[in-house]
Structure formats: structure tokens, C-alpha cells
Coordinates of all heavy atoms in Angstrom, one line a residue:
D1 N -9.0 -6.0 10.6 CA -8.9 -7.3 11.0 C -7.7 -8.0 10.4 O -7.8 -8.1 9.1 CB -10.2 -8.0 11.0 CG -10.0 -9.5 11.5 OD1 -10.3 -9.7 12.7 OD2 -9.8 -10.4 10.7
L2 N -6.7 -8.5 11.2 CA -5.6 -9.1 10.5 C -5.9 -10.3 9.5 O -5.4 -10.3 8.5 CB -4.6 -9.4 11.6 CG -3.1 -9.9 11.1 CD1 -2.5 -8.9 10.2 CD2 -2.3 -10.4 12.4
A3 N -6.7 -11.2 10.1 CA -7.1 -12.3 9.3 C -7.8 -12.0 8.0 O -7.4 -12.6 7.0 CB -8.0 -13.3 10.1
D4 N -8.6 -11.0 8.0 CA -9.3 -10.6 6.7 C -8.3 -9.9 5.8 O -8.4 -10.2 4.6 CB -10.4 -9.6 7.1 CG -11.6 -10.2 7.7 OD1 -11.8 -11.5 7.7 OD2 -12.4 -9.5 8.3
I5 N -7.4 -9.2 6.2 CA -6.3 -8.5 5.4 C -5.4 -9.6 4.8 O -5.2 -9.6 3.6 CB -5.5 -7.5 6.2 CG1 -6.4 -6.3 6.6 CG2 -4.4 -6.9 5.1 CD1 -5.7 -5.4 7.6
L6 N -5.1 -10.6 5.7 CA -4.1 -11.7 5.1 C -5.0 -12.6 4.2 O -4.4 -13.0 3.1 CB -3.8 -12.6 6.3 CG -2.7 -12.0 7.2 CD1 -2.4 -12.8 8.3 CD2 -1.3 -11.8 6.3
T7 N -6.3 -12.8 4.3 CA -7.1 -13.6 3.3 C -7.2 -12.8 2.0 O -7.0 -13.5 1.0 CB -8.5 -13.8 3.9 OG1 -8.3 -14.6 5.1 CG2 -9.4 -14.4 2.9
A8 N -7.4 -11.5 2.1 CA -7.3 -10.7 0.8 C -6.1 -10.7 0.0 O -6.1 -11.0 -1.2 CB -7.8 -9.2 1.2
I9 N -4.9 -10.7 0.8 CA -3.5 -10.7 0.1 C -3.5 -12.1 -0.5 O -3.0 -12.2 -1.7 CB -2.5 -10.5 1.3 CG1 -2.4 -9.0 1.6 CG2 -1.1 -11.0 0.6 CD1 -1.6 -8.8 2.8
S10 N -3.8 -13.2 0.2 CA -3.7 -14.6 -0.3 C -4.5 -14.7 -1.6 O -4.1 -15.4 -2.6 CB -4.0 -15.4 0.8 OG -3.2 -15.6 1.8
K11 N -5.7 -14.2 -1.5 CA -6.6 -14.4 -2.7 C -6.1 -13.6 -4.0 O -6.0 -14.2 -5.0 CB -8.0 -13.8 -2.4 CG -9.0 -13.9 -3.7 CD -10.3 -13.8 -3.3 CE -11.3 -13.9 -4.4 NZ -10.7 -14.1 -5.9
F12 N -5.6 -12.5 -3.9 CA -5.0 -11.8 -4.9 C -3.9 -12.5 -5.5 O -3.5 -12.6 -6.8 CB -4.7 -10.3 -4.7 CG -5.9 -9.4 -4.7 CD1 -6.4 -8.9 -3.5 CD2 -6.5 -9.1 -6.0 CE1 -7.6 -8.0 -3.7 CE2 -7.6 -8.3 -6.0 CZ -8.1 -7.8 -4.9
E13 N -3.0 -13.0 -4.5 CA -1.8 -13.7 -4.9 C -2.1 -14.9 -5.7 O -1.6 -15.2 -6.8 CB -1.0 -14.0 -3.7 CG 0.3 -14.8 -4.1 CD 1.2 -15.2 -2.7 OE1 0.5 -15.2 -1.7 OE2 2.3 -15.5 -2.9
A14 N -3.2 -15.7 -5.2 CA -3.6 -16.9 -5.8 C -4.2 -16.6 -7.3 O -4.2 -17.4 -8.2 CB -4.6 -17.7 -5.0
D15 N -4.8 -15.4 -7.4 CA -5.5 -15.0 -8.7 C -4.5 -14.6 -9.6 O -4.8 -14.3 -10.8 CB -6.5 -14.0 -8.4 CG -7.8 -14.6 -7.7 OD1 -7.8 -15.8 -7.6 OD2 -8.6 -13.8 -7.2
G16 N -3.2 -14.5 -9.3 CA -2.2 -14.2 -10.1 C -1.7 -12.6 -10.2 O -1.0 -12.2 -11.2
A17 N -2.1 -11.9 -9.1 CA -1.8 -10.5 -9.1 C -0.2 -10.4 -9.0 O 0.5 -11.2 -8.4 CB -2.2 -9.8 -7.8
D18 N 0.3 -9.3 -9.8 CA 1.7 -9.0 -9.7 C 2.1 -7.9 -8.7 O 3.2 -7.8 -8.2 CB 2.3 -8.6 -11.1 CG 2.2 -9.6 -12.1 OD1 2.5 -10.8 -11.8 OD2 1.8 -9.4 -13.4
L19 N 1.0 -7.1 -8.4 CA 1.1 -6.0 -7.6 C -0.2 -5.9 -6.6 O -1.3 -6.1 -7.1 CB 1.3 -4.8 -8.4 CG 1.1 -3.4 -7.6 CD1 2.4 -3.2 -6.7 CD2 1.1 -2.3 -8.6
I20 N 0.1 -5.7 -5.4 CA -1.0 -5.7 -4.4 C -0.8 -4.4 -3.6 O 0.2 -4.2 -3.1 CB -1.2 -6.9 -3.5 CG1 -1.4 -8.1 -4.2 CG2 -2.3 -6.5 -2.4 CD1 -1.3 -9.5 -3.4
L21 N -1.7 -3.4 -3.8 CA -1.7 -2.2 -3.1 C -2.6 -2.2 -1.8 O -3.7 -2.6 -1.9 CB -2.1 -1.0 -4.0 CG -1.5 -0.8 -5.2 CD1 -2.1 0.3 -6.1 CD2 -0.1 -0.3 -4.8
L22 N -2.1 -2.0 -0.6 CA -2.8 -1.9 0.6 C -2.9 -0.5 1.2 O -1.9 0.2 1.1 CB -2.1 -2.9 1.5 CG -2.1 -4.4 1.1 CD1 -0.6 -4.7 0.6 CD2 -2.5 -5.3 2.2
T23 N -4.1 -0.1 1.6 CA -4.2 1.3 2.0 C -4.8 1.1 3.5 O -5.3 0.3 3.9 CB -5.1 2.1 1.2 OG1 -6.4 1.4 1.2 CG2 -4.6 2.2 -0.2
G24 N -4.5 2.3 4.2 CA -5.1 2.4 5.6 C -4.2 1.9 6.6 O -3.6 0.8 6.3
G25 N -4.1 2.4 7.8 CA -3.4 1.8 8.8 C -1.9 1.7 8.6 O -1.3 0.7 8.9
M26 N -1.2 2.8 8.1 CA 0.1 2.7 7.6 C 1.1 3.4 8.5 O 2.3 3.5 8.4 CB 0.3 3.3 6.2 CG -0.1 2.4 5.2 SD 0.4 0.7 5.2 CE 2.1 1.0 5.0
S27 N 0.6 3.9 9.6 CA 1.5 4.7 10.6 C 2.2 3.8 11.5 O 2.1 2.5 11.3 CB 0.7 5.8 11.3 OG 0.0 5.1 12.5
V28 N 2.9 4.3 12.5 CA 3.7 3.6 13.4 C 2.9 3.0 14.6 O 3.5 2.5 15.5 CB 5.0 4.3 13.9 CG1 5.9 4.4 12.6 CG2 4.7 5.5 14.4
D29 N 1.7 3.4 14.7 CA 0.8 3.0 15.8 C 0.6 1.5 15.8 O 0.4 0.9 14.7 CB -0.6 3.7 15.6 CG -1.5 3.5 16.7 OD1 -1.5 2.3 17.3 OD2 -2.2 4.4 17.2
P30 N 0.9 0.8 17.0 CA 0.8 -0.6 17.0 C -0.6 -1.1 16.6 O -0.6 -2.3 16.2 CB 1.0 -0.9 18.5 CG 1.5 0.3 19.1 CD 1.2 1.6 18.3
D31 N -1.6 -0.4 16.5 CA -2.9 -0.8 16.2 C -3.0 -0.8 14.7 O -4.1 -1.4 14.2 CB -4.0 0.2 16.7 CG -4.1 0.0 18.3 OD1 -3.6 -1.0 18.8 OD2 -4.7 0.8 18.9
D32 N -2.1 -0.2 13.9 CA -2.2 -0.2 12.4 C -1.8 -1.5 11.9 O -0.7 -1.9 12.1 CB -1.4 0.9 11.9 CG -2.0 2.3 12.2 OD1 -3.2 2.4 12.4 OD2 -1.1 3.3 12.3
L33 N -2.7 -2.2 11.3 CA -2.6 -3.5 11.0 C -1.9 -3.8 9.7 O -1.5 -4.9 9.3 CB -3.8 -4.4 11.1 CG -4.4 -4.4 12.5 CD1 -5.8 -5.1 12.5 CD2 -3.4 -5.2 13.4
T34 N -1.9 -2.8 8.7 CA -1.5 -3.2 7.3 C 0.1 -3.5 7.3 O 0.3 -4.5 6.7 CB -1.8 -1.9 6.4 OG1 -3.1 -1.5 6.6 CG2 -1.4 -2.2 5.0
P35 N 1.0 -2.8 7.9 CA 2.3 -3.3 7.9 C 2.5 -4.7 8.5 O 3.3 -5.5 8.1 CB 3.0 -2.2 8.8 CG 2.3 -1.0 8.6 CD 0.8 -1.5 8.6
T36 N 1.8 -5.0 9.6 CA 1.8 -6.1 10.1 C 1.4 -7.4 9.2 O 1.9 -8.4 9.1 CB 0.9 -6.3 11.6 OG1 1.3 -5.4 12.3 CG2 1.0 -7.8 12.1
A37 N 0.2 -7.1 8.5 CA -0.3 -8.0 7.6 C 0.7 -8.3 6.4 O 0.9 -9.4 6.0 CB -1.6 -7.6 6.9
I38 N 1.4 -7.2 6.0 CA 2.4 -7.5 4.9 C 3.5 -8.4 5.5 O 3.9 -9.4 4.7 CB 2.9 -6.0 4.4 CG1 1.7 -5.3 3.8 CG2 4.1 -6.3 3.6 CD1 2.2 -3.8 3.4
R39 N 4.0 -8.1 6.6 CA 5.0 -9.0 7.2 C 4.6 -10.5 7.4 O 5.2 -11.4 7.0 CB 5.4 -8.4 8.5 CG 6.5 -7.2 8.3 CD 7.1 -6.9 9.7 NE 6.3 -6.7 10.7 CZ 5.6 -5.5 10.9 NH1 5.9 -4.4 10.1 NH2 4.8 -5.3 12.0
E40 N 3.3 -10.6 7.9 CA 2.8 -11.9 8.2 C 2.4 -12.6 7.0 O 2.1 -13.9 7.1 CB 1.6 -11.7 9.3 CG 2.2 -11.4 10.7 CD 1.4 -11.7 11.7 OE1 0.2 -12.3 11.6 OE2 1.5 -11.1 13.0
S41 N 2.2 -12.0 5.9 CA 2.0 -12.7 4.7 C 3.0 -13.5 4.1 O 3.0 -14.3 3.3 CB 1.6 -11.7 3.6 OG 2.6 -11.0 3.0
G42 N 4.2 -13.4 4.7 CA 5.4 -14.1 4.3 C 6.3 -13.3 3.4 O 7.3 -13.7 2.9
A43 N 5.9 -12.1 3.0 CA 6.7 -11.1 2.3 C 7.9 -10.7 3.0 O 8.1 -10.5 4.1 CB 5.8 -10.1 1.8
E44 N 9.0 -10.6 2.2 CA 10.1 -9.8 2.5 C 10.0 -8.4 2.5 O 9.9 -7.8 1.4 CB 11.4 -10.3 1.7 CG 12.6 -9.4 2.0 CD 13.7 -9.5 0.9 OE1 13.5 -10.2 -0.1 OE2 14.8 -8.9 1.1
V45 N 10.0 -7.6 3.6 CA 9.7 -6.3 3.7 C 11.1 -5.5 3.2 O 12.3 -5.7 3.8 CB 9.5 -5.6 5.1 CG1 9.3 -4.2 5.1 CG2 8.1 -6.2 5.4
I46 N 11.1 -4.8 2.1 CA 12.2 -4.1 1.6 C 12.4 -2.9 2.3 O 13.5 -2.4 2.8 CB 12.1 -3.8 0.1 CG1 12.0 -5.2 -0.7 CG2 13.2 -2.9 -0.4 CD1 11.6 -5.1 -2.1
T47 N 11.3 -2.1 2.6 CA 11.3 -0.9 3.4 C 10.0 -0.7 4.1 O 8.9 -1.1 3.5 CB 11.7 0.3 2.7 OG1 12.0 1.4 3.6 CG2 10.7 0.8 1.6
Q48 N 10.0 -0.3 5.3 CA 8.8 0.3 6.0 C 9.2 1.7 6.4 O 9.7 1.9 7.5 CB 8.4 -0.6 7.1 CG 7.1 -0.1 7.8 CD 6.6 -1.0 9.0 OE1 7.1 -2.1 9.1 NE2 5.6 -0.4 9.7

């Protein structure tokens, strides 16, 4: 769920994380939400 992934990213960021590792759903399938969540978090994607 995109909203849940974004919430988790925001919480770790707010808690002071320097590094956030995300797993699962990393392929090019449009249903894989992890790359979408990374982009929608406001992060600058260096590479996908």
C-alpha cells in the first residue's frame, strides 16, 4: 500500500534516520510500489 510505505519513510526520516532500506516490489512491474514510494516521498532518484 503506497500510503503505508510513505508513512513508514516519513516516520524514519522524522526519527533522524540517515539511511532507509526498502525491500520488496523492486521490479519494473507497474504494481511494484516501492520505487513509486521512493519517488513520491520527495526524494531525488539517483538511479533506478
Side-chain angles (χ1 to χ4, degrees):
D1 180 82
L2 186 59
D4 286 348
I5 300 168
L6 287 168
T7 297
I9 291 171
S10 294
K11 178 164 181 355
F12 279 112
E13 183 182 14
D15 289 348
D18 295 317
L19 174 66
I20 300 172
L21 298 173
L22 298 103
T23 62
M26 290 304 303
S27 77
V28 294
D29 189 311
D31 292 339
D32 291 335
L33 296 177
T34 305
T36 301
I38 291 170
R39 282 190 305 278
E40 290 196 13
S41 74
E44 173 199 358
V45 175
I46 297 169
T47 189
Q48 181 178 348

